[in-house]
Amino acid sequence: MDLYEHQARQLFADHGIPVPRAEVTASPQGAREIARRLGGRAVVKAQVRTGGRGKAGGVRLVAGPAAAELTTRQILGTDINGHRVGKVMLAEPVDVAEEFYVSYVLDRAAGGFLAIASAQGGMEIEEVAARHPEAVARIPVDPAEGVTSAKAGEIASAAGLPPQTADVLIRLWQVLVGEDALLVEVNPLVRTAQGRVLALDGKVTIDDNARFRHSRWTAEDEERLDPLEAAAAERGLACVRLDGEVGVIGNGAGLVMSTLDAVAGCGARPADFLDIGGGASAEVMADGLSVVLSDPAVKCVLVNVFGGITACDAVAEGIVAAVDTVRLTNPLVVRLDGNNAARGRAILGERAHPFVEQATTMDGAARRAAELAHSA
């Protein structure tokens, strides 16, 4: 689970890592008030869980409350690398003298953690490593030992960081351990013209296996979740709403993505990405179909299943159960292949629902779904 920047900064502050004053809002008027409280000038930062915000115009320095309101109005609702901006954070500006990079990341191959640090912060660490590999220090960290004062001094010395960053390195490790994190990153960690060391930006990835211990972070996701995606999540399904007219259901992310491409290649637009998983039962299939059919933008649904762990006859039974309980007014194209495919096709054939068609290939199913969506 990746946290938003403002959530990561809150964790840093909770563990004693200095951060500039900042507040979060979802409204332009709120941005005006925050800027006033911060003293006028502020940095407006889009809150999305992706990199490249600055290059996309999602990070801007504003001169006063009015500019903060206007800039927030411009940023909210925009798309940054496929992520819609729903909130912004306003932070007090900092007079930066030097920028550094520090992080801890799980090293699965070594069975431990790796400290990565550089005196060249403020840009993607991959760029620094590619251009100046000697400028990036990689120091193994024994989970049992952790980051002691001696280890923090070793990391700082290897990366060419000033000695006063050692305290941040120790506290950043405390964030990782205390918050069940797989990655903690500060970029940039800065030294101001006044000599203070501050974390200006942060990233934290929490182990999904520990989500139950961090419900305060998942609450914000639930507030912002699309209603269709929320309905799927309640049923334990992974769904992403898109902007098209063909609902797409499949078993396995790879197959669903291939189906999306096939639909687009036939001149139609997918309306969603819904993966029923590799071991889906009839009940799961029925739930997935019910979710997709609830989207008013959907004009046709394409179910593409390759039976493996998921038997095609179970999928067919789920489809029959769904069309018997949900009023089906849009066409449904089904392609079944693999484990028990013949039995699955027979079940659908016996039901003979007037809105359900079968196809033998993925391309044929995509082509028919596109035709039906365009004629609806």
Side-chain angles (χ1 to χ4, degrees), residues 316-352:
E317 290 170 357
I319 293 173
V320 169
V323 299
D324 284 342
T325 56
V326 178
R327 184 168 176 266
L328 189 62
T329 57
N330 295 327
L332 175 66
V333 179
V334 182
R335 179 255 182 169
L336 301 176
D337 198 4
N339 183 17
N340 284 356
R343 176 57 185 154
R345 297 189 197 108
I347 291 172
L348 294 179
E350 291 167 5
R351 176 62 178 81

Side-chain angles (χ1 to χ4, degrees), residues 245-250 259 263 266 285 289 292-293 298-305 315 319 323 328-336 348 353-375:
E245 60 280 341
V246 177
V248 176
I249 301 175
T259 308
V263 169
C266 293
M285 183 65 239
L289 196 53
V292 173
L293 289 171
V298 170
K299 297 180 180 179
C300 177
V301 179
L302 169 55
V303 175
N304 186 20
V305 169
V315 172
I319 293 173
V323 299
L328 189 62
T329 57
N330 295 327
L332 175 66
V333 179
V334 182
R335 179 255 182 169
L336 301 176
L348 294 179
H353 193 286
F355 284 94
V356 178
E357 297 187 17
Q358 297 194 58
T360 57
T361 67
M362 180 171 69
D363 289 340
R367 185 164 49 252
R368 183 55 179 157
E371 291 172 354
L372 291 169
H374 289 154
S375 62

Side-chain angles (χ1 to χ4, degrees), residues 21-304:
R21 290 187 301 151
E23 296 183 46
V24 180
T25 183
S27 74
Q29 296 78 14
R32 175 187 282 268
E33 294 304 315
I34 293 173
R36 183 176 289 114
R37 288 194 290 271
L38 293 177
R41 295 177 68 245
V43 180
V44 182
K45 308 180 76 174
Q47 293 302 284
V48 287
R49 290 179 291 199
T50 185
R53 291 178 299 168
K55 296 177 182 178
V59 179
R60 306 184 200 177
L61 177 66
V62 296
E69 178 177 354
L70 176 61
T71 299
T72 298
R73 194 180 303 279
Q74 294 170 342
I75 292 177
L76 287 174
T78 59
D79 182 277
I80 298 179
N81 297 332
H83 296 255
R84 181 182 175 277
V85 181
K87 291 185 178 181
V88 298
M89 182 182 72
L90 281 80
E92 63 177 346
V94 173
D95 187 5
V96 176
E98 294 179 277
E99 295 184 330
F100 316 114
Y101 174 95
V102 296
S103 72
Y104 297 113
V105 62
L106 177 65
D107 185 350
R108 297 184 186 277
F113 284 86
L114 190 65
I116 303 175
S118 175
Q120 298 184 27
M123 58 180 174
E124 297 293 335
I125 193 64
E126 292 84 2
E127 295 181 20
V128 178
R131 298 177 183 177
H132 306 286
E134 74 286 351
V136 180
R138 297 174 175 83
I139 308 297
V141 177
D142 182 347
E145 178 185 351
V147 177
T148 61
S149 296
K151 175 62 75 170
E154 177 189 350
I155 296 168
S157 176
L161 307 181
Q164 58 264 50
T165 61
D167 182 64
V168 171
L169 291 169
I170 293 172
R171 294 179 184 275
L172 193 63
W173 176 259
Q174 294 170 353
V175 173
L176 182 135
V177 174
E179 305 298 336
D180 301 305
L182 302 176
L183 165 72
V184 290
E185 175 186 272
V186 181
N187 187 30
L189 177 70
V190 305
R191 181 162 61 181
T192 69
Q194 296 75 34
R196 297 178 65 202
V197 174
L198 299 172
L200 290 198
D201 198 350
K203 180 177 181 180
V204 174
T205 300
I206 292 175
D207 188 343
D208 280 338
N209 294 310
R211 288 175 72 103
F212 68 95
R213 288 204 287 258
H214 304 280
S215 59
R216 61 171 171 162
W217 304 131
T218 58
E220 181 171 336
D221 279 347
E222 292 170 357
E223 291 173 2
R224 297 179 56 191
L225 201 60
D226 178 273
L228 188 77
E229 296 173 4
E234 289 177 1
R235 294 169 169 82
L237 299 172
C239 178
V240 177
R241 186 199 287 269
L242 303 174
D243 61 354
E245 60 280 341
V246 177
V248 176
I249 301 175
N251 61 322
L255 181 61
V256 178
M257 292 179 68
S258 297
T259 308
L260 298 181
D261 290 341
V263 169
C266 293
R269 297 178 303 161
D272 66 76
F273 176 117
L274 194 145
D275 179 8
I276 61 172
S281 63
E283 181 182 0
V284 170
M285 183 65 239
D287 283 343
L289 196 53
S290 298
V291 169
V292 173
L293 289 171
S294 69
D295 184 356
V298 170
K299 297 180 180 179
C300 177
V301 179
L302 169 55
V303 175
N304 186 20

